[in-house]
Amino acid sequence: MASLSVSRPSHIFSGRLPAHSKPRMSGPTRIRMSLREDGPSIAVVGVTGAVGQEFLSVLSDRDFPYRSIKMLASKRSAGRRITFEDRDHVIEELTAESFDGVDIALFSAGGSISLEFGPAAVARGTVVVDNSSAFRMDENVPLVIPEVNPEAMRNIKAGTGKGALIANPNCSTIICLMAATPLHRRAKVLRMVVSTYQAASGAGAAAMEELELQTREVLEGKPPTCKIFNQQYAFNLFSHNASVLSNGYNEEEMKLVKETRKIWNDNDVKVTATCIRVPVMRAHAESVNLQFERSLDEDTARDILKNATGVVVIDDRESNHFPTPLEVSNKDDVAVGRIRRDLSQDGNKGLDIFVCGDQIRKGAALNAIQIAEMLL
């Protein structure tokens, strides 16, 4: 059998990901406290993908307690060995029976896999935390950012034998609402305009590899390899590759609109978005314009954000230092800066902010693990 090592510090599975995608080196080896008889049994679905690998990284970083862990993937990956926290595991083919005895399943294998196997897992008493878009707009499935709306899943616990589905929001939504929600709580957002600058990581490990390859090719004067996207990505930017709908918005933009309304439990909030792919490896950036019902000056907003859980403020006007994707890569916190009054709106009822967050981490894996922690 092929053997893969996923022990710290690297949790990368296939070949190699671009350098900027690799987790930072950790400090001295420490005794792991996560393998515990009183912990839940967990399964990672799509363990060979970029987010699946990040699941393992975050589980390890946060010492998430578990008594057993299953590594699940497609038939072509079954039988390979993977090392996690100094223990060897054999990757198993995903089947409905994979969830027998599993308390929590972390899914990141695409919507079609979630639709097929999510309900099968729930029927076996498993609580599924799903990273796809399959169930996000289902009114019976909570869509959760733990810092924003933990109450949406208050009646769900692992290990009770009662299965449930919980949806992880889209990465752009998570990164945006981590910053916008604390301000929304104070002054109530009436309208939000979001422009996103989205990294290759949002399209998976293969897109990250293609961006690195294209960069070398273009610098060497060669035509770029365009397999993941149908146009040059290196030294370029273009409209997000999601399908364009009849209203002119693409699916990524509509996710931001619909998911914000569901998470905030406010169907009246006006949201519009423009989503762009930029040649950045693994962290998204977003320009967010907010219109409020009540006055909120920029100094108060800055203080609110400085005290918000999971948010760090980088807002140094004197040195022109604000959030960048590189600064937040492999970081848990979402960074916010460029906090300023919107001069096009009267009074203090409008603000502009700039937000950066690691798409694979807080935008996907970390958010899911935080949900799982709330299930314990």
Side-chain angles (χ1 to χ4, degrees), residues 49 64 75 89 117 124 146-147 155 158 165 248 253 305 316 323 337 344:
F64 186 91
K75 185 175 182 178
H89 302 266
F117 291 100
R124 285 166 167 78
E147 296 90 343
N155 296 322
L165 280 165
E253 292 157 353
L305 291 167
D316 187 346
S344 72

Side-chain angles (χ1 to χ4, degrees), residues 290-354:
L290 300 163
Q291 180 183 347
F292 300 106
E293 181 178 82
R294 299 181 289 276
S295 292
L296 179 62
D297 64 83
E298 65 183 43
D299 291 333
T300 302
R302 193 173 289 105
D303 288 340
I304 290 170
L305 291 167
K306 283 180 179 178
N307 290 295
T309 303
V311 173
V312 60
V313 173
I314 303 175
D315 198 47
D316 187 346
R317 295 178 179 178
E318 186 174 340
S319 62
N320 199 13
H321 182 204
F322 304 105
T324 67
L326 280 178
E327 284 179 291
V328 300
S329 291
N330 296 295
K331 303 285 182 64
D332 290 350
D333 289 340
V334 169
V336 188
R338 300 301 316 278
I339 304 163
R340 63 202 188 279
R341 184 169 75 87
D342 176 2
L343 297 178
S344 72
Q345 298 189 52
D346 294 333
N348 286 314
K349 292 190 175 181
L351 283 175
D352 286 300
I353 60 175
F354 189 73

Side-chain angles (χ1 to χ4, degrees), residues 191 194 239-240 242-257 271-275:
R191 183 171 185 260
V194 186
S239 182
H240 192 282
S243 298
V244 179
L245 307 174
S246 60
N247 63 2
Y249 285 74
N250 63 42
E251 290 179 349
E252 187 79 0
E253 292 157 353
M254 290 308 300
K255 287 175 185 176
L256 250 169
V257 174
V271 181
T272 187
T274 300
C275 295

